[in-house]
Amino acid sequence: MKLLRYGPSGQEKPGCLDADGRVRDLSGHIDDLAGEALTPETISRLKSLDIEELPLVEGTPQEDLRLGPCVGRTGKFICIGLNYADHAAESGLDVPPEPVIFNKWTSAITGPDDDVIIPRGSKKTDWEVELGVVIGKGGAYIDEADAMEHVAGFCVVNDVSEREYQIERAGTWDKGKGCDSFGPIGPWLVTPDEAGDHDALSLWLEVDGKRHQNGSTSTMVYKVPHLIAYCSQFMSLQPGDIISTGTPPGVGMGLSPQVYLKGGETLRLGIDGLGVQTQKVRRAD
């Protein structure tokens, strides 16, 4: 099932995609695609609905119908760094002996096609296509063997990053990761039964039509079940939390010479079966 949120920013309604690529409204069954609506019990109930009987929403998604972030009221936006060996190499860093955890602030979350805003004073705003894992069943100290039972679905994430803020200024990576608009998610939340093999998904990113990233989740160092179990050792996970699992090579920082966003570019990125994002890049007012 492809679940989504549609409508103006801050006024999104829950919906799903039908077999013809049209949006059907789920407002009569859940108030938002958030919290308890993401639990296994609710997802199972939504799957039992006859989608063709749901109200049809006017417009074409991602054309004249805006899609919002595919998950609402996210509590934690957890990110994993250096989780592809070849990306670690292009960054001049070793593969970490344990997953590297950092955070994006939830105020960074935007819709899949909303503008990416370069912060005031930024010199090194960069891109990162990533597989996002959305938690549906909460828990702490989750066993790796049981981890996939806690997944509501998967989505595309653009882990937009300001490298000077992240690396060259005092403190942790977080200050370069959580600026406003630095967390586009969606277009839809795809349930595991429709997402395909999460260990073998192609993911890519283009800037103004030039492909920079072209990878596969098959080369992730730490796989999805391990990441869920690992994160749950340090914090409880709740429905709606997002784990962004790292990026393949091809980021601007890893190019020679390095390339960073200046404003005016168009980003397109996607993951097999999970949809495509398109963002205009502009500088902050």
Side-chain angles (χ1 to χ4, degrees), residues 57-266:
V57 178
E58 185 177 349
T60 302
Q62 298 188 277
E63 292 183 13
D64 56 347
L65 176 62
R66 175 187 177 268
L67 297 186
C70 61
V71 179
R73 305 197 299 271
T74 295
K76 294 189 286 297
F77 198 163
I78 306 157
C79 298
I80 308 299
L82 304 174
N83 197 29
Y84 289 71
D86 35 12
H87 171 56
E90 74 171 354
S91 302
L93 299 168
D94 295 330
V95 173
E98 299 182 36
V100 172
I101 297 177
F102 62 91
N103 296 291
K104 294 180 89 75
W105 317 126
T106 56
S107 53
I109 294 174
T110 60
D113 307 310
D114 293 342
D115 290 352
V116 166
I117 303 170
I118 298 175
R120 293 180 183 177
S122 166
K123 300 174 183 177
K124 297 183 177 181
T125 296
D126 204 347
W127 57 81
E128 296 189 13
V129 60
E130 306 200 358
L131 173 68
V133 181
V134 177
I135 298 299
K137 176 184 176 183
Y141 304 108
I142 296 167
D143 289 334
E144 188 168 336
D146 302 326
M148 295 308 298
E149 298 175 9
H150 293 259
V151 176
F154 299 93
C155 66
V156 181
V157 175
N158 189 356
D159 176 19
V160 185
S161 308
E162 212 297 344
R163 303 302 189 186
E164 182 189 15
Y165 300 176
Q166 175 191 355
I167 299 169
E168 300 175 33
R169 298 178 64 168
T172 65
W173 286 8
D174 301 338
K175 69 171 65 173
K177 293 287 190 170
C179 303
D180 289 356
S181 83
F182 274 24
I185 61 171
W188 17 83
L189 173 66
V190 184
T191 53
D193 58 306
E194 290 194 15
D197 182 358
H198 57 80
D199 281 337
L201 297 174
S202 295
L203 62 171
W204 54 271
L205 182 144
E206 298 173 348
V207 182
D208 288 337
K210 181 177 181 180
R211 184 157 297 197
H212 288 285
Q213 293 189 272
N214 204 20
S216 170
T217 58
S218 64
T219 66
M220 285 200 301
V221 178
Y222 299 106
K223 306 298 186 181
V224 170
H226 182 79
L227 293 175
I228 294 169
Y230 185 83
C231 290
S232 77
Q233 308 306 304
F234 304 100
M235 67 200 86
S236 61
L237 299 175
Q238 282 105 28
D241 287 349
I242 301 167
I243 302 175
S244 197
T245 57
T247 198
V251 301
M253 179 178 66
L255 300 176
S256 182
Q258 295 178 335
V259 175
Y260 294 109
L261 299 170
K262 304 297 184 184
E265 300 93 342
T266 297

